[in-house]
Amino acid sequence: MSIDFAALLREELAQHVQGSEKVVVDTSNSSLPPKVGSMRDVNTEEVRFPSDWRVSCKVEGAVECVWLIENALSEGCERVIVDDLRQSQCESGPVSSKVCDEVSSSGRWVSLKDRRVLKWDREPQFSGWASQLAACFSRDLSTWQGSACNHILVNWYDADGGILPHTDGPAYLAATATVSLSEPAIMRFSPRLGFEGKTFDLLLRPRAVVVFSHEAYSTHTHEILPGSAITISESCLNRPDAAEDLARLHEHRRVQNRASLTFRHCLPEPARV
């Protein structure tokens, strides 16, 4: 049995609240920090996806429908996004999970055990680079069966932070595109209980986009391995060939926050199965 992302988030919130009385949140309560404000624009010409990405970026040896697009964003785009995310936490401040529910958390940073989470639930909340990237992903990746991205999830990880195995669940169309920023990480896919398949890893370098759908979305869980060290196992499908690159990664220690942006299409509730 696996847990979908919404259930995972609820479980993490519950763990933080455990031992405290349940707090009913009034979303108009002035004690809540303001929602995250507008983001800056980026140069969308520096967001690049190969026209044949479904062929040239397909991950060989993985379950069907996994792609990895390296250097999809420029360093300049990455810098703007990471700086905006860092600044927004200074200006708005994180909401304690003890005083925030799933509804009132939209548009606000929420503190969890080893990361902070920010989600924009609907397209009208997007601004600046969030709106630009959602449009680029919807147009150039065509991942969501002709529908547009209308949901963005931001994870701001501690240097040694990760996320437990989960699926993204039935709330979304069965496709996900995630940008990795600031620091490298290992993403692990594992077959869900009752499904056949193998466990495999992907090395996510900064500015890479991982896209997965169909079998990878529904029959496998995915996770980000915790720890400040990057361990490249034999099951890593994009393991560097050059010995010096491999040694450099093994010696690397994450010392700053890692960020990820996950783009999805959220289904209306009656359409969820």
Side-chain angles (χ1 to χ4, degrees), residues 118-137:
L118 168 67
K119 63 175 181 174
W120 288 297
D121 280 327
R122 291 288 177 234
E123 188 175 356
Q125 295 182 358
F126 302 169
S127 68
W129 53 257
S131 179
Q132 291 175 306
L133 292 183
C136 287
F137 278 45

Side-chain angles (χ1 to χ4, degrees), residues 175-191:
T176 292
T178 298
V179 187
S180 190
L181 301 169
S182 300
E183 289 275 11
I186 298 295
M187 187 177 200
R188 175 165 293 169
F189 288 82
S190 302

Side-chain angles (χ1 to χ4, degrees), residues 102-121:
E102 194 170 352
V103 174
S104 63
S105 68
S106 182
R108 293 183 173 92
W109 284 104
V110 178
S111 287
L112 297 173
K113 180 182 177 183
D114 56 1
R115 71 187 198 281
R116 292 177 177 179
V117 174
L118 168 67
K119 63 175 181 174
W120 288 297
D121 280 327

Side-chain angles (χ1 to χ4, degrees), residues 189-206:
F189 288 82
S190 302
R192 294 172 59 184
L193 186 65
F195 290 91
E196 295 182 356
K198 66 177 183 178
T199 296
F200 62 91
D201 294 349
L202 290 180
L203 168 63
L204 305 183
R205 298 179 187 269

Side-chain angles (χ1 to χ4, degrees), residues 48-267:
R48 302 175 292 264
F49 303 115
S51 59
D52 67 342
W53 68 271
R54 289 186 181 273
V55 176
S56 61
C57 300
K58 183 175 175 60
V59 178
E60 297 298 334
V63 67
E64 285 297 311
C65 302
V66 180
W67 298 269
L68 185 64
I69 306 169
E70 301 278 9
N71 294 310
L73 276 66
S74 70
E75 291 185 13
C77 287
E78 178 185 42
R79 193 176 306 114
V80 169
I81 295 169
V82 172
D83 286 350
D84 277 3
L85 293 176
R86 184 178 291 110
Q87 183 63 27
S88 70
Q89 294 177 70
C90 296
E91 294 174 351
S92 299
V95 183
S96 167
S97 56
K98 293 183 179 180
V99 296
C100 192
D101 60 16
E102 194 170 352
V103 174
S104 63
S105 68
S106 182
R108 293 183 173 92
W109 284 104
V110 178
S111 287
L112 297 173
K113 180 182 177 183
D114 56 1
R115 71 187 198 281
R116 292 177 177 179
V117 174
L118 168 67
K119 63 175 181 174
W120 288 297
D121 280 327
R122 291 288 177 234
E123 188 175 356
Q125 295 182 358
F126 302 169
S127 68
W129 53 257
S131 179
Q132 291 175 306
L133 292 183
C136 287
F137 278 45
S138 299
R139 181 190 66 237
D140 298 336
L141 296 181
S142 303
T143 304
W144 297 284
Q145 303 170 21
S147 298
C149 167
N150 63 5
H151 181 279
I152 301 175
L153 176 80
V154 181
N155 277 293
W156 183 266
Y157 292 93
D158 292 348
D160 59 353
I163 188 168
L164 294 171
H166 64 281
T167 65
D168 285 1
Y172 312 99
L173 280 178
T176 292
T178 298
V179 187
S180 190
L181 301 169
S182 300
E183 289 275 11
I186 298 295
M187 187 177 200
R188 175 165 293 169
F189 288 82
S190 302
R192 294 172 59 184
L193 186 65
F195 290 91
E196 295 182 356
K198 66 177 183 178
T199 296
F200 62 91
D201 294 349
L202 290 180
L203 168 63
L204 305 183
R205 298 179 187 269
R207 301 180 301 283
V209 174
V210 59
V211 181
F212 59 93
S213 62
H214 296 85
E215 293 93 339
Y217 186 98
S218 59
T219 68
H220 280 60
T221 63
H222 55 278
E223 62 185 294
I224 296 296
L225 301 189
S228 59
I230 303 297
T231 301
I232 312 284
S233 69
E234 293 295 333
S235 63
C236 183
L237 298 183
N238 61 330
R239 181 184 174 93
D241 294 326
E244 58 269 26
D245 289 344
L246 194 58
R248 193 179 304 114
L249 283 164
H250 279 155
E251 292 170 1
H252 181 81
R253 296 294 182 270
R254 288 197 294 255
V255 295
Q256 60 182 347
N257 298 96
R258 175 180 170 270
S260 69
L261 314 175
T262 296
F263 297 80
R264 295 180 284 215
H265 179 84
C266 187
L267 295 166

